[in-house]
Amino acid sequence: MTHPADSQRRPRKYPFEKMRISDHSILDTIEGRHTCRLCHRSRKFFCYNCHIPVGDLENLLPRVQLPLQVDIIKHKKEIDGKSTAVHAAVLAPEHVRIHTFPDIPDYRDEPGVVLIFPSAKALTVPQLFERNVQLQIGDNYGLPYGHHMGTLLRRRMDEVEIPSQDQDAQNKRTWDLENLPIRRAVFIDSTWNQSRGIYADDRVRGLRTVVLQNRLSQFWRHQRGSPRWYLATIEAIHQFLLEVHVNAWGLNANYRGLDNLEITEGFHQLAAPLKVKPAEGDEDLVSRMSPYNGQYDNLLFFFANMYDLIHKYYDHNDLISYRRPI
């Protein structure tokens, strides 16, 4: 919901304007704090230890259904109250769980698990769907050998689909919630230096790694030395699910939620709709497998609200985070 006083401080292109995010102005009406029914700590909107809403919000928040499971590995030094990862656990409780390193599952024998991490051998989401996509890395974007473009990248990566003889067969393939190439996606919620330590753990190091398509982060906290497409954890989860959905079931031609995210132009060409496998007698399931029309946008419910709150007090262009290089 747009507040009249906010319009002068917001950027001209409001990033969430065309996304299908529920009206989060309800959060602005909540006064005081409430007791978490599990740990009995005092919280404002949700308990970031128990990952549940507090007070009346328990019955008022949107609930998001995801096509796969999401695990978040949080470094023990990350401050719980400042992490956006908990947003996903609160809004999609059936599909998201958070672990604090080193107390994490052993993923080595679990099929269909990927790690969202820019390793030297990272795949793109279209490649997970066996589409013939290549990254145009050229001279490694001017970086020394051994540096992956997802770690120290100073400009956007380009993704190109290469025509192949079996392209028609790929385009005719159908996907449902049971045969997606990914069953669980693992995200690391930490600083870059901390994440490298987690990635070195044998329980995750053998996982296939995935690098996301670039989009400008709307996170208001300055990440020193990082370009604008280093996403907050909740943004990364939303972006990954968006890419998975679009590669499986296409992009609704009328959905305009991507217009202000400044995603690489080629994303729309790579997101050619694929044939949907029908689900008989289950309208909810059919909707979940329809071309993307904002099904996961509510993951940004708290994020968009906080973005608005920040911009009530600060001019967009005065915040260091939005003046990082792109």
Side-chain angles (χ1 to χ4, degrees):
M1 178 178 180
T2 302
H3 300 275
D6 300 346
S7 58
Q8 294 180 350
R9 294 186 180 276
R10 280 179 174 171
R12 185 165 56 182
K13 287 185 176 181
Y14 179 55
F16 313 111
E17 181 178 5
K18 299 179 181 180
M19 299 183 77
R20 295 184 177 272
I21 302 176
S22 298
D23 183 2
H24 50 74
S25 62
I26 183 66
L27 299 177
D28 300 329
T29 68
I30 295 177
E31 298 180 357
R33 300 168 71 86
H34 300 270
T35 301
C36 172
R37 58 180 170 81
L38 295 183
C39 70
H40 308 296
R41 293 183 176 98
S42 176
R43 300 289 186 246
K44 179 68 172 180
F45 299 138
F46 52 80
C47 180
Y48 42 78
N49 297 107
C50 302
H51 313 143
I52 61 172
V54 297
D56 294 337
L57 276 183
E58 194 154 7
N59 299 316
L60 297 175
L61 291 180
R63 288 290 186 269
V64 186
Q65 295 291 315
L66 308 185
L68 46 84
Q69 298 297 313
V70 170
D71 278 17
I72 301 165
I73 299 177
K74 185 178 71 69
H75 195 276
K76 61 183 179 181
K77 290 186 178 180
E78 284 294 296
I79 300 174
D80 291 330
K82 292 186 177 181
S83 172
T84 64
V86 68
H87 299 180
V90 172
L91 295 165
E94 297 178 22
H95 298 95
V96 179
R97 60 185 185 180
I98 298 177
H99 307 280
T100 301
F101 187 80
D103 185 16
I104 65 172
D106 191 336
Y107 298 105
R108 284 176 288 192
D109 295 325
E110 183 178 347
V113 183
V114 298
L115 176 68
I116 314 306
F117 187 82
S119 74
K121 296 182 179 180
L123 302 172
T124 64
V125 172
Q127 288 172 330
L128 292 177
F129 281 84
E130 300 177 359
R131 297 174 71 175
N132 192 17
V133 172
Q134 295 180 5
L135 295 179
Q136 301 295 95
I137 60 176
D139 62 350
N140 201 34
Y141 289 84
L143 299 173
Y145 179 78
H147 287 288
H148 185 259
M149 59 277 178
T151 61
L152 297 174
L153 185 61
R154 286 296 179 269
R155 68 180 177 87
R156 296 174 185 235
M157 66 179 183
D158 300 313
E159 200 173 41
V160 177
E161 186 157 21
I162 309 300
S164 61
Q165 294 180 347
D166 60 348
Q167 190 66 50
D168 289 340
Q170 292 177 358
N171 289 340
K172 291 178 180 178
R173 183 166 184 178
T174 59
W175 303 95
D176 59 30
L177 297 178
E178 301 300 323
N179 72 350
L180 287 176
I182 316 101
R183 295 180 180 272
R184 187 182 305 278
V186 180
F187 293 79
I188 297 177
D189 183 40
S190 70
T191 65
W192 172 242
N193 286 334
Q194 292 167 347
S195 70
R196 286 186 293 182
I198 294 174
Y199 180 60
D201 190 286
D202 289 339
R203 293 169 291 180
V204 298
R205 189 169 181 80
L207 295 176
R208 287 186 299 171
T209 52
V210 176
V211 63
L212 301 178
Q213 183 54 269
N214 302 127
R215 89 186 199 195
L216 293 188
S217 174
Q218 305 304 325
F219 200 31
W220 47 91
R221 291 199 184 98
H222 174 52
Q223 300 179 57
R224 187 174 182 179
S226 63
R228 275 287 308 279
W229 48 84
Y230 272 40
L231 303 177
T233 302
I234 192 64
E235 291 179 295
I237 294 172
H238 177 268
Q239 177 65 25
F240 175 74
L241 292 169
L242 166 66
E243 293 188 39
V244 167
H245 195 106
V246 165
N247 277 277
W249 302 300
L251 181 66
N252 188 308
N254 296 319
Y255 176 70
R256 309 310 309 171
L258 307 183
D259 289 1
N260 292 344
L261 292 185
E262 301 184 69
I263 294 179
T264 300
E265 293 180 4
F267 178 75
H268 293 80
Q269 282 70 49
L270 293 169
L274 303 182
K275 184 178 178 182
V276 176
K277 185 175 182 178
E280 297 180 2
D282 192 332
E283 293 183 4
D284 177 65
L285 202 57
V286 171
S287 175
R288 291 174 65 186
M289 295 192 300
S290 296
Y292 191 75
N293 195 25
Q295 283 92 326
Y296 317 125
D297 286 0
N298 267 329
L299 287 173
L300 300 174
F301 182 81
F302 290 114
F303 189 84
N305 178 262
M306 183 59 70
Y307 178 96
D308 281 1
L309 182 63
I310 292 293
H311 283 77
K312 284 183 182 179
Y313 300 102
Y314 301 96
D315 184 271
H316 181 85
N317 294 321
D318 288 342
L319 293 167
I320 296 176
S321 185
Y322 301 113
R323 290 190 275 114
R324 286 179 290 166
I326 57 175

